[in-house]
Amino acid sequence: MRRTLIAGNWKMHGLTADLSWVEAFHRAANPNAPCDVLVCPPFTLLAAFAARCTDKAIEVGAQDCGPAVTGAYTGDVSAQMVADCGARYVITGHSERRAGHGETSEAVRTKADAALSAGLIPIICVGETLEDREAGRAEDVVSAQLHGSVPESITGADVIVAYEPVWAIGTGRSASAEDAQSMHAHIREIWSRGRPEALRILYGGSVKPDNSAEILAGADVDGALIGGASLDPECFASIVNSVR
């Protein structure tokens, strides 16, 4: 059984005053919703979030990690540091990291390996650009990213994949439920070659309360990685409450 995961990626948002989000979300969310809930705040709030979420059935993750364990890497945060803050997950290979910071699939794989070594579950992101999709290359691009980014000899219990069509991130334009399901099925077919264990695949890209139920209804859609809508606790709770 693949349990649904609703994950919030705060990106570069959040100050100490925003820790009140935890209580506001907890009041608004259905405590019996059949899903796991994850929040990925900025590094500056990671430990504080973990401390406030321990008794509220909310998991905490980081938005990135460095590939090294320790050393002279100014500005990097290692996977061990992330785990030390109380987090259990880390996002790797988000399209904004790939595009804005030049991260290759090889670099993403190295970070995912570092996360696994620290006992974290990496959420490895893949997704095509609008140019790729219009040229009919979407599946090829996603396949190449999967092969390059996912460590070998890994099981479905060790990792999560998030499909994020780049053209739908922060644009207000979301892939149709049919588009999301089709790509998720493609990802699952690739994964299943030699890997019998179930893999959770999340959809990311302008998920909101008004489209979440339709997207999550896809047979191969196991949850969502949510950006802007996760900053509003009531809005994020509405998405959690839509899980059936």
Side-chain angles (χ1 to χ4, degrees):
M1 179 67 68
R2 306 188 313 267
R3 185 169 167 84
T4 300
L5 173 64
I6 304 299
N9 175 17
W10 278 29
K11 306 187 181 184
M12 199 171 70
H13 299 280
L15 301 173
T16 303
D18 296 303
L19 289 170
S20 60
W21 181 99
V22 175
E23 287 73 27
F25 168 78
H26 191 250
R27 288 192 299 270
N30 174 11
N32 298 313
C35 64
D36 296 327
V37 177
L38 169 67
V39 180
C40 299
F43 285 127
T44 52
L45 298 181
L46 199 55
F49 250 83
R52 293 180 84 132
C53 290
T54 52
D55 61 345
K56 294 182 174 60
I58 304 171
E59 297 282 2
V60 177
Q63 299 172 24
D64 189 32
C65 69
V69 175
T70 187
Y73 303 102
T74 301
D76 279 8
V77 176
S78 73
Q80 283 78 8
M81 292 173 177
V82 169
D84 190 53
C85 286
R88 290 191 59 225
Y89 297 78
V90 60
I91 299 170
T92 60
H94 192 282
S95 65
E96 291 161 0
R97 299 292 307 178
R98 291 181 187 261
H101 297 267
E103 289 190 3
T104 63
S105 289
E106 182 181 1
V108 175
R109 180 195 290 250
T110 302
K111 289 185 175 186
D113 274 326
L116 291 164
S117 295
L120 300 173
I121 298 174
I123 300 175
I124 301 176
C125 301
V126 297
E128 81 282 1
T129 65
L130 182 59
E131 181 182 7
D132 293 328
R133 175 160 285 269
E134 290 180 340
R137 298 191 300 264
E139 288 191 354
D140 290 341
V141 168
V142 169
S143 297
Q145 290 178 343
L146 275 172
H147 288 305
S149 303
V150 177
E152 295 180 6
S153 303
I154 199 171
T155 73
D158 298 323
V159 67
I160 293 169
V161 168
Y163 167 58
E164 302 181 307
V166 178
W167 47 271
I169 299 173
T171 64
R173 176 180 177 181
S174 179
S176 69
E178 292 77 14
D179 287 338
Q181 165 57 27
S182 176
M183 187 62 81
H184 280 232
H186 174 68
I187 292 170
R188 195 172 306 286
E189 193 276 328
I190 292 173
W191 173 267
S192 65
R193 298 172 189 169
R195 290 187 175 106
E197 306 87 357
L199 171 72
R200 284 200 285 185
I201 308 171
L202 312 183
Y203 171 77
S206 298
V207 177
K208 298 178 174 61
D210 60 0
N211 66 9
S212 59
E214 182 181 12
I215 290 172
L216 292 171
D220 291 289
V221 179
D222 303 315
L225 180 59
I226 300 160
S230 69
L231 298 173
D232 182 324
E234 284 79 19
C235 185
F236 192 59
S238 292
I239 295 173
V240 169
N241 294 344
S242 74
V243 176
R244 297 292 181 264

